[in-house]
């Protein structure tokens, strides 16, 4: 399974998350109203809502566990003369499912007067705007999952990390040698860089570069950045297969 396939696998599970949430609202919630204990009803409802998001996310994590491990390598882009890393399924998949589930909660509902039933709020244009809002969220989720542009790029000039809206580039010649340190624990999503000050007499500026959305091993990435900061000579060969092989031999990366 490729990272792209793993990301697209989140689409049906995102839809399932919405349907489960709506099902809890229309199916289980009226049933809890008929219970003698209101506290028990709230507890059952809370557990069902939690299950409606935990089940799709857990299912996704189980189905994609083989590809979620971030590889200690890059993709080679000869045309762009760069190394790239796509969006990580470990980030994109659960994020998309959770966002879709939250969108299901945007739909406004109300109790049918005099009955233990739930219906959509249909006063005025509320239902239309509700549906449009959910559709807009789903379209956004689909576009994010289909987007195969690299989340991270290394080229002769520096390192670029692209977010959902914009990207950020840090040039090699702006960084001090010796860093970044290899991320550890929960810090795997961030590279801490030491950037040159704007004035010669200034102190080094600490910059955090968010790399958690990129499908690449954080330790390998940190070692690669450190290597190119300290050794400018091979930068011109970035984007070629021989240079990637040489980099992996030096940094110690291996395919996962």
């Amino acid at each position: 399974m490729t990272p792209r396939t793993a990301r697209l696998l989140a689409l049906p599970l995102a839809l399932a998350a919405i349907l489960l949430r709506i099902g809890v609202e229309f199916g289980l919630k009226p049933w809890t109203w008929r219970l003698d204990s209101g506290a028990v009803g709230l507890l059952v409802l809370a557990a069902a809502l939690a299950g409606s998001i935990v089940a799709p996310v857990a299912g996704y994590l189980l189905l994609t566990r083989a590809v979620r491990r971030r590889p200690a390598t890059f993709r080679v882009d000869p045309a762009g003369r760069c190394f790239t890393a796509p969006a990580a399924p470990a980030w994109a998949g659960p994020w998309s499912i959770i966002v879709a589930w939250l969108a299901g909660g945007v739909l406004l509902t109300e109790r049918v007067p005099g009955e233990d039933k739930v219906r959509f709020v249909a006063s005025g244009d509320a239902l239309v705007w509700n549906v449009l809002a959910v559709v807009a969220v789903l379209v956004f989720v689909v576009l994010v999952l289909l987007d195969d542009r690299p989340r991270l790029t290394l080229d002769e000039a520096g390192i670029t990390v692209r977010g959902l809206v914009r990207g950020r580039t840090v040039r090699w010649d702006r960084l001090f040698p010796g860093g970044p340190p290899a991320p550890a624990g929960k810090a795997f999503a961030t590279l801490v860089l030491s950037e040159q000050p704007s004035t010669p007499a200034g102190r080094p500026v600490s910059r955090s570069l968010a790399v958690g959305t990129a499908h690449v091993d954080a330790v390998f990435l940190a070692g690669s950045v450190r290597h190119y900061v300290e050794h400018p000579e091979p930068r011109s060969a970035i984007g070629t297969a021989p240079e990637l092989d040489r980099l992996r031999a030096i940094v110690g990366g291996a395919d996962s």
Side-chain angles (χ1 to χ4, degrees), residues 14 52 93 101 105 175 202 227:
S52 68
W101 181 82
L175 298 175
H227 174 72

Side-chain angles (χ1 to χ4, degrees), residues 146-212:
L146 288 175
D147 185 7
D148 207 34
R149 291 178 297 171
R151 289 287 172 182
L152 183 142
T153 303
L154 269 64
D155 58 21
E156 185 176 3
I159 176 173
T160 299
V161 176
R162 184 176 61 84
L164 292 176
V165 178
R166 60 182 181 178
R168 181 183 179 189
T169 299
V170 179
R171 296 181 57 86
W172 303 125
D173 54 16
R174 294 290 303 166
L175 298 175
F176 283 105
K186 294 183 179 180
F188 78 94
T190 304
L191 285 184
V192 181
L193 307 173
S194 182
E195 201 170 355
Q196 295 182 13
S198 55
T199 59
R203 294 182 177 182
V205 180
S206 180
R207 302 289 188 192
S208 294
L209 197 61
V211 296

Side-chain angles (χ1 to χ4, degrees), residues 2-12 60 75 86-89 91-93 95-96 137-151 162 164:
T2 66
R4 178 181 173 83
T5 302
R7 293 198 309 272
L8 294 180
L9 187 59
L11 284 175
Y60 177 82
R75 291 181 176 179
W91 163 82
W95 174 89
S96 300
V137 171
L138 289 178
V139 169
F140 177 70
V141 167
V142 171
L143 291 177
V144 169
L145 292 175
L146 288 175
D147 185 7
D148 207 34
R149 291 178 297 171
R151 289 287 172 182
R162 184 176 61 84
L164 292 176

Side-chain angles (χ1 to χ4, degrees), residues 46-61:
L49 284 173
S52 68
I53 181 58
V54 170
V57 171
Y60 177 82
L61 295 177

